[in-house]
Amino acid sequence: MGKQKNNNSWLSRPVTETQISRGGRLWLYVIATLVMIFLVMPTLLVIPMSFSNSQYLEFPPRQWSLRWYQSYFSSTSWMQATATSLKAGVLTALVATPLGTMAAYGLLVSRIRHAGYLTLLLLTPMVVPVILIGIGVFYAYVKLQLVNTLAGLVLAHSMLAIPVVMMVVSSALKTFDLNQEMVARSLGASRLEAFRMVTFPQIRFSIFTGAVLAFLTSFDEIIVSLFVSGGDHSTLTRNMFNALRDQVDPTIAAISTLIVACTSLMLAVTQFVGKPGRPR
């Protein structure tokens, strides 16, 4: 009886002071769960397929084996592509995070009349189809001789990652009281010092999240990589696409499982690293 009473009180308790109870929103929770299952299920099916001993992709596996993981880690081409993707992802995060943070901060504190149009301009890479961006970047890189280079890959991925960082940091800055920074500046601190000592500690979680998303944007990107990467600087996703196009290699399932695991781990880490500490 006590347990049933606690469940009833939980369902009847309002989500917030101004919203309806959890019981009234139970239908919404059910629909959200079904949608999540629908979206996640195809990804989860790849995991058991990666442990199959078959020469082809099959579900459910008839025999379990680590054969395709061994094939991945013992392949020179796969390891080289993985190293390229990791290098490009880290460098993209190092480039996009400060630029996206500065863009978000500058647009917030600037007194430019048409700052909203500049924001839309910076967010253009998120709106324009990626295939058009890839074609445009390819033609520009041909003239600049940046095709199949790590520098060209990082610049192209940074263009796609900067809007992501800018959106994450902008959402944090909108909840930040800039008067705190003005107080620091009135006491003699420069704008840079005020940002470093007052603003940055309070939005560092958003900046860290933006850096992780910038890395993942680069690591998972494939369309632009098909145009600008190749040879010794071919990315992991590009090699996966080529392998899937030419032949159905179960190694792709093993690589996909590792990518899903690493991506999930990094997103989970963002929930614990960079958050403001508890007040003493």
Side-chain angles (χ1 to χ4, degrees):
M1 292 294 294
K3 184 177 181 181
Q4 183 178 1
K5 183 178 180 180
N6 291 334
N7 292 336
N8 293 335
S9 62
W10 184 86
L11 290 174
S12 61
R13 189 182 308 159
V15 180
T16 64
E17 295 179 356
T18 59
Q19 292 181 342
I20 60 177
S21 64
R22 291 186 174 91
R25 302 182 68 180
L26 189 61
W27 64 272
L28 181 61
Y29 298 150
V30 174
I31 293 177
T33 302
L34 293 176
V35 171
M36 290 180 62
I37 294 175
F38 176 77
L39 295 176
V40 175
M41 187 58 67
T43 303
L44 298 180
L45 290 178
V46 177
I47 298 176
M49 293 169 63
S50 67
F51 293 97
S52 173
N53 193 37
S54 174
Q55 186 69 27
Y56 306 98
L57 294 174
E58 63 177 12
F59 181 85
R62 287 175 291 181
Q63 294 181 347
W64 298 89
S65 173
L66 296 175
R67 171 184 179 182
W68 303 114
Y69 289 92
Q70 295 174 354
S71 175
Y72 166 64
F73 287 108
S74 62
S75 173
T76 303
S77 59
W78 284 120
M79 288 293 98
Q80 184 175 4
T82 303
T84 299
S85 292
L86 291 174
K87 291 178 184 177
V90 171
L91 292 175
T92 297
L94 293 177
V95 172
T97 303
L99 291 179
T101 301
M102 287 189 291
Y105 178 79
L107 291 172
L108 180 67
V109 301
S110 66
R111 299 181 180 178
I112 301 177
R113 183 177 181 182
H114 301 292
Y117 294 104
L118 292 178
T119 302
L120 293 177
L121 180 63
L122 291 174
L123 296 178
T124 300
M126 300 184 66
V127 180
V128 177
V130 183
I131 185 68
L132 298 181
I133 296 177
I135 295 174
V137 170
F138 174 75
Y139 279 108
Y141 278 12
V142 168
K143 297 181 179 180
L144 298 174
Q145 298 182 354
L146 289 175
V147 179
N148 298 341
T149 64
L150 182 61
L153 186 64
V154 171
L155 289 176
H157 286 177
S158 298
M159 177 180 60
L160 300 175
I162 287 175
V164 177
V165 177
M166 193 180 74
M167 289 185 62
V168 174
V169 177
S170 294
S171 63
L173 288 173
K174 288 180 180 179
T175 60
F176 172 72
D177 186 7
L178 287 176
N179 290 328
Q180 300 179 42
E181 186 176 303
M182 295 299 295
V183 171
R185 294 181 60 191
S186 67
L187 296 175
S190 63
R191 182 180 290 274
L192 180 60
E193 292 175 339
F195 177 85
R196 179 176 59 85
M197 295 184 297
V198 178
T199 307
F200 175 77
Q202 300 188 55
I203 65 170
R204 65 179 184 272
F205 173 65
S206 297
I207 295 176
F208 179 78
T209 302
V212 172
L213 293 178
F215 173 85
L216 295 178
T217 299
S218 172
F219 193 83
D220 295 337
E221 203 284 321
I222 181 173
I223 303 299
V224 175
S225 299
L226 288 173
F227 286 93
V228 303
S229 68
D232 294 336
H233 297 292
S234 180
T235 62
L236 182 62
T237 52
R238 187 181 192 276
N239 282 13
M240 292 175 64
F241 179 83
N242 292 335
L244 188 62
R245 180 192 60 187
D246 299 335
Q247 60 181 349
V248 181
D249 187 358
T251 308
I252 299 174
I255 299 173
S256 300
T257 301
L258 293 174
I259 292 177
V260 170
C262 293
T263 301
S264 302
L265 179 62
M266 293 183 65
L267 292 177
V269 168
T270 60
Q271 302 302 314
F272 301 99
V273 179
K275 284 187 176 181
R278 295 181 180 180
R280 298 180 180 179

